[in-house]
Amino acid sequence: MLVRQRKVTALALIAMLAAAACSTEEKRSTGSPAPNGAAPAPAKRGGTFRMAISEPRWIDPALGEFLISKRLFVGLTMFDGNPELKMRPAVADTWAATADCMQWTFNLRPNKFSNGEDVTAESFIRGWTRAADGRAASLVAAHLAGIQGYKELHGEVGSPTATTFSGLSAPNPQTLVVRLSSPDCEFDKKSNHTVMSPVPSVAGAADNKTFNEAPIGNGPFMFKPGTKWEHDKGISLVRNESYFDAKPNIDGIEFTVFPAQNASENIYKAFQVGELDIAAVPLGLRSQSDATYSPQGGFIRHLGYAISFMVPNNAKGPMANADARKAVSLALDRDAINSGISQGYAIPATALIPPPFGDFHQPGTCEGCKYDPVRAKELAAKGGLAPGTRLKFLAPASPVPQAMKEMLERTLDIVVDLQSPPGGALLQSMRAGDFDIGLNGWHADYPTPDNFLFPLLGTGSGENDSRYSNPEFDALIRRERTQKDDNERRRIFLEAERIAIGRDQALIPTFYIPSLMVVDGQKWTGVTLNFFDHPRFETMSLK
Amino acid sequence: MGFVLIGASMVLFVCLFVLPGDPLQTVQGEGARLDAAARATLAARYHLDESLPRQYGHYVARLARGDLGESYRLRRPVNDVLGQRIANTAKLAVGALLVEVVVGAAAGAFSALARSSFVDVLVTVATTAAIGVPVFVVGLLLQDVFAVRLHLLPLQGARDGLRSLVLPAVTLGAIHSAMIARLTRASLLDVLGSDYVRTAAAKGLPPRTVVLNHALRTSLTPILTYVGAGFGGLLGGAAIVETIFNWNGVGLALVTAISTQDNPIVIGVVTYAVVVFVTVNLVVDLACALLDPRIALR
């Protein structure tokens, strides 16, 4: 059973969809390139970047928060957004897997926690062990599930039978050896997850509330000396002068807590009056914001590693038939939804793996993703989706699913029963299989298509709400995990997507989800968003 | 108070128990899911694997020690989560009470003393408008004028001390101050026509003494009763005002807790609210008795 903190919720995807940008430009820096190829001026140091957050549930990396803990902790590898999806050295400067990808060895470079303690292989073992411990009830522990000994440490019903992680060892302080319970030739990509952070000896167990109030890490930032997390108020970070890599240009980050309710509008207003340096653009203000802030280089469009999609129930009911699923997909006029509701600020999807995946994105894989009402009717008839058929559609209350409902009813002459249970009840209904079609979304945890294909479509995955189960597809996923050759692995990924999406239409891709943000472009330069859709605090600077 | 508290908590416990859904899963949010091991750990920690009466027993036992349990969502003690928020909401409530009593009573008194004058008409029209305008409209309007356009007061948050309190307190107190103005006007007009006020005036007392010492004192009784009864509504309105002004109070905590089925927080807020509501009404009853000896307890 998997637990994914990075999953985009149905509600959130609707909000993001509405806030999405139509441009395929991945990101736009607020800075200007040096004219005529001249060497850029050295980045100015100083300044405190002010950003709003909602009150985190925790910031200990073992428990599943990203924005703060990614500033405080750096793991073995990091990802810079390259289209080949290659990991870059972080704490580990070299790493290698055995021929069968069952064992990985990471060689660490010397670096320290901000309290002066050395970061060693034991620091990683400590961090991963406390996160995997069942008593921690971590929401992200499952990212460690591929390591030998996880089941014993985590337990099945809260009663672990081990206290150490048998798959981890440190032959010397600078070498970490990881033994897996099944082959994974992309384990290095997973090591970028916050749950795989090293922690100092003072961290204690994952439910150590003292450590959670001001975690000590090895990242580019640290808690401002003498401060800790001020609940419901904010968090102050400063540059970690002992950081082993290029130090940030900015002196620090001031995170101010905003209540979740009405947050978008309040945060945007606070940005407008100069209380914040960055803000997400609220739904109704996209065009206005674009027009106001783009000329001063303050409007950011960022196409993330994410997608929204319709989830047909492959296991039972009318959607168990592939032709019926294609009929539903062909009946959706994505362009009309984009122009009519999203005001052009969305990108109709034509494949499951989104464009930022570079060489792994196959535009047009989803043949049913183009609007074709005639073909939709033909396939509906062929697939047993007769006029008058009732479909239970689970989605958040929003104009987008309402438009989808009307399109399906009009084109296919069926009855769509749109239901919008509040909060987590929607997800619980989806997980229980009590639906015909649903609306959901996904954001990558790691930069690999495996992180889309297996969780969403693999047999036995806890996130596979569509209940798609295809031995041919599963065999491809197993094969790619044992494949060390990047080109061959890529070929398998593409084939697996063509089978599940192109042929079987197991999921119905709808839109890619760009983030829209505004930043004080007269004050800051180099503000772009990273893989996690967070500002690149590490490289931004004052103008 | 004890009976009220026990009654309220029992009703709430039953209501929360019959709600559909798994609280432990719901509090994780839509995008995350507990696995079996984590769920079992948390269920045991929060006694959710036990029957409702036993859960209620744990709650009462903890309450006797002043412990309201731990938030399912934040995994922090409810008292810690609500501590600062209660202080924030108390500041907001006191500020709003001051606004509504001072502004409302003054406007009502002037209106009554200058009956049928321009001031009276102005107060009547203004109070009618204020009662009809939703609190969020008042808040957004004040924000737009005083923070965004004039830059006189902070837009949101509580970082600027008393200056931060002005707009939220005025917003929250506006509607109630209009009600109090109407109530004061009606009450004062009624008292001004009574025999004992006419007698005081006939004895040659200065008009100011007649109004302040004799008429206004008696007419305050219904106003105080209204303030006490309206305190619950004030707390309800606080949730909206806290949302608009990014004011981290219990109202916001309650809204979040209800939507995420974070039951310990819901019960904690209600427990505090019952204590405060009962206490405020007790104080109001005592104050009324002090102002008007005729209603003093024998």
Side-chain angles (χ1 to χ4, degrees):
Chain A
M1 187 180 291
L2 288 175
V3 182
R4 303 282 179 190
Q5 180 73 359
R6 293 288 295 161
K7 178 162 188 172
V8 178
T9 67
L11 198 63
L13 81 88
I14 295 299
M16 284 191 276
L17 173 60
C22 62
S23 168
T24 54
E25 181 186 9
E26 184 186 342
K27 52 218 170 212
R28 182 190 297 169
S29 166
T30 56
S32 307
N36 305 322
K44 199 186 281 185
R45 277 170 79 94
T48 297
F49 194 79
R50 299 162 304 163
M51 182 175 180
I53 54 171
S54 54
E55 170 78 350
R57 293 178 65 189
W58 37 64
I59 50 178
D60 188 317
L63 298 175
E65 191 276 341
F66 282 79
L67 180 62
I68 311 295
S69 49
K70 268 289 175 190
R71 312 282 80 76
L72 299 174
F73 294 89
V74 168
L76 294 166
T77 63
M78 59 174 68
F79 179 60
D80 62 5
N82 66 82
E84 298 83 28
L85 310 181
K86 292 281 189 193
M87 302 307 287
R88 304 293 184 218
V91 173
D93 54 3
T94 60
W95 58 92
T98 51
D100 59 0
C101 289
M102 287 290 287
Q103 181 170 305
W104 285 76
T105 302
F106 294 88
N107 300 305
L108 316 188
R109 49 177 149 176
N111 72 110
K112 289 181 182 294
F113 290 105
S114 58
N115 66 353
E117 183 177 327
D118 286 331
V119 177
T120 64
E122 279 301 331
S123 313
F124 283 93
I125 294 175
R126 186 185 299 121
W128 299 10
T129 302
R130 68 199 283 274
D133 189 329
R135 290 165 297 190
S138 166
L139 293 182
V140 288
H143 293 283
L144 299 157
I147 301 171
Q148 272 183 27
Y150 174 81
K151 279 184 183 167
E152 293 76 14
L153 183 57
H154 191 65
E156 290 299 320
V157 286
S159 51
T161 56
T163 55
T164 56
F165 220 143
S166 62
L168 302 179
S169 59
N172 61 65
Q174 300 309 121
T175 306
L176 175 69
V177 177
V178 183
R179 287 180 301 282
L180 305 179
S181 48
S182 59
D184 186 353
C185 291
E186 291 190 304
F187 180 79
D188 56 338
K189 293 179 177 173
K190 293 183 178 173
S191 70
N192 186 39
H193 196 284
T194 53
V195 76
M196 299 203 192
S197 299
V199 297
S201 49
V202 295
D207 59 356
N208 177 3
K209 290 183 168 54
T210 307
F211 187 69
N212 190 43
E213 294 300 301
I216 294 163
N218 64 332
F221 293 92
M222 55 185 257
F223 264 77
K224 189 176 180 178
T227 70
K228 58 179 189 172
W229 175 6
E230 281 195 88
H231 289 286
D232 298 321
K233 287 184 181 170
I235 290 170
S236 298
L237 304 184
V238 295
R239 184 173 48 237
N240 177 9
E241 298 296 351
S242 63
Y243 182 49
F244 67 95
D245 210 341
K247 294 180 182 57
N249 300 309
I250 59 174
D251 289 339
I253 313 167
E254 198 74 46
F255 292 108
T256 303
V257 172
F258 275 65
Q261 288 83 7
N262 207 31
S264 178
E265 285 73 16
N266 279 344
I267 292 168
Y268 192 77
K269 272 193 279 187
F271 169 82
Q272 284 181 305
V273 299
E275 292 179 6
L276 295 171
D277 292 313
I278 195 166
V281 180
L283 306 185
L285 299 173
R286 290 157 295 189
S287 307
Q288 182 192 329
S289 180
D290 195 349
T292 305
Y293 295 103
S294 283
Q296 49 185 273
F299 193 78
I300 300 175
R301 304 165 196 261
H302 171 77
L303 186 55
Y305 294 74
I307 187 173
S308 66
F309 50 84
M310 196 176 256
V311 185
N313 190 335
N314 284 237
K316 66 175 187 182
M319 291 292 101
N321 185 291
D323 285 328
R325 297 195 290 270
K326 282 183 184 165
V328 166
S329 185
L330 288 162
L332 294 176
D333 188 348
R334 292 165 178 77
D335 289 328
I337 293 173
N338 182 25
S339 58
I341 298 172
S342 306
Q343 297 163 22
Y345 283 79
I347 302 172
T350 63
L352 181 68
I353 306 300
F357 277 89
D359 299 343
F360 298 82
H361 170 61
Q362 302 184 79
T365 306
C366 173
E367 292 173 12
C369 284
K370 50 184 176 289
Y371 178 54
D372 188 342
V374 175
R375 179 90 179 120
K377 280 177 191 162
E378 287 171 11
L379 286 178
K382 194 176 158 198
L385 200 59
T389 304
R390 291 190 81 89
L391 291 185
K392 181 176 176 181
F393 182 18
L394 288 179
S398 152
V400 173
Q402 183 62 37
M404 290 174 167
K405 164 189 159 74
E406 288 166 12
M407 283 173 181
L408 295 179
E409 289 182 336
R410 190 173 58 241
T411 305
L412 302 175
D413 196 20
I414 58 176
V415 179
V416 177
D417 179 17
L418 175 58
Q419 296 183 17
S420 304
L426 192 148
L427 180 72
Q428 288 178 39
S429 296
M430 294 254 288
R431 292 284 141 88
D434 182 23
F435 70 103
D436 294 310
I437 45 176
L439 203 57
N440 219 329
W442 188 260
H443 190 295
D445 298 294
Y446 339 106
T448 164
D450 177 281
N451 189 228
F452 275 67
L453 296 173
F454 174 71
L456 297 176
L457 297 160
T459 302
S461 161
E463 309 288 348
N464 182 355
D465 294 333
S466 71
R467 287 156 174 76
Y468 176 68
S469 182
N470 180 347
E472 186 186 4
F473 175 87
D474 293 337
L476 285 172
I477 296 298
R478 279 195 300 275
R479 242 177 71 203
E480 58 89 358
R481 288 180 173 184
T482 61
Q483 187 51 252
K484 286 192 88 171
D485 181 79
D486 289 345
N487 289 329
E488 178 59 13
R489 194 182 323 113
R490 176 176 171 272
R491 194 193 64 71
I492 299 171
F493 278 138
L494 300 185
E495 186 184 347
E497 187 186 10
R498 281 196 297 271
I499 290 171
I501 302 299
R503 189 187 75 191
D504 295 344
Q505 196 75 72
L507 293 173
I508 300 172
T510 52
F511 295 96
Y512 303 124
I513 311 165
S515 304
L516 298 181
M517 301 196 89
V518 285
V519 64
D520 186 345
Q522 293 174 332
K523 184 178 175 188
W524 300 99
T525 185
V527 183
T528 56
L529 305 188
N530 64 16
F531 174 76
F532 295 104
D533 301 338
H534 302 153
R536 287 189 166 91
F537 301 99
E538 293 73 24
T539 53
M540 63 171 64
S541 66
L542 284 171
K543 242 180 176 173
Chain B
M1 187 190 294
F3 287 120
V4 176
L5 196 58
I6 288 171
S9 63
M10 282 183 82
V11 169
L12 198 64
F13 240 87
V14 172
C15 288
L16 293 174
F17 186 72
V18 300
L19 278 177
D22 172 6
L24 281 183
Q25 175 53 59
T26 307
V27 293
Q28 309 311 327
E30 287 184 74
R33 194 152 66 105
L34 281 175
D35 60 29
R39 198 191 178 289
T41 298
L42 294 177
R45 186 187 299 175
Y46 302 134
H47 305 290
L48 291 174
D49 48 0
E50 298 177 24
S51 65
L52 184 65
R54 286 183 67 87
Q55 287 181 47
Y56 186 69
H58 288 300
Y59 163 74
V60 173
R62 280 197 313 265
L63 190 62
R65 302 192 302 270
D67 176 6
L68 287 167
E70 188 173 275
S71 159
Y72 298 162
R73 196 172 74 86
L74 301 170
R75 299 189 193 170
R76 286 170 47 212
V78 172
N79 281 328
D80 278 6
V81 175
L82 295 182
Q84 184 56 45
R85 288 170 174 267
I86 286 170
N88 286 345
T89 296
K91 277 185 216 163
L92 183 58
V94 169
L97 271 175
L98 277 175
V99 169
E100 65 184 56
V101 171
V102 173
V103 175
F110 280 121
S111 183
L113 293 173
R115 191 180 182 185
S116 301
S117 69
F118 174 72
V119 173
D120 186 24
V121 173
L122 191 68
V123 168
T124 304
V125 170
T127 52
T128 305
I131 290 166
V133 179
V135 68
F136 69 90
V137 173
V138 176
L140 293 175
L141 203 65
L142 291 175
Q143 259 186 342
D144 192 53
V145 173
F146 293 99
V148 177
R149 291 175 197 277
L150 300 177
H151 299 284
L152 289 175
L153 292 163
L155 178 79
Q156 48 80 33
R159 283 170 297 183
D160 293 319
L162 275 179
R163 291 182 69 239
S164 296
L165 183 62
V166 175
L167 291 183
V170 170
T171 303
L172 186 57
I175 292 173
H176 286 279
S177 68
M179 292 295 293
I180 286 178
R182 313 272 313 241
L183 206 59
T184 306
R185 180 181 181 276
S187 177
L188 196 56
L189 283 175
D190 189 40
V191 172
L192 283 173
S194 62
D195 291 344
Y196 77 92
V197 172
R198 282 210 304 272
T199 305
K203 280 163 62 181
L205 289 174
R208 182 187 169 125
T209 308
V210 172
V211 171
L212 289 180
N213 290 5
H214 294 266
L216 199 56
R217 178 175 167 157
T218 314
S219 64
L220 280 178
T221 306
I223 297 163
L224 277 179
T225 308
Y226 172 81
V227 168
F231 197 74
L234 196 74
L235 292 178
I240 300 169
V241 173
E242 286 169 3
T243 303
I244 296 170
F245 290 96
N246 185 23
W247 190 271
N248 270 306
V250 285
L252 273 181
L254 183 63
V255 171
T256 306
I258 289 171
S259 63
T260 56
Q261 277 191 276
D262 195 354
N263 296 345
I265 295 285
V266 177
I267 294 168
V269 172
V270 172
T271 303
Y272 275 113
V274 168
V275 171
V276 171
F277 189 75
V278 172
T279 306
V280 165
N281 277 279
L282 185 68
V283 171
V284 165
D285 287 347
L286 292 173
C288 286
L290 209 65
L291 286 170
D292 188 350
R294 289 173 300 174
I295 54 174
L297 291 171
R298 290 177 189 281

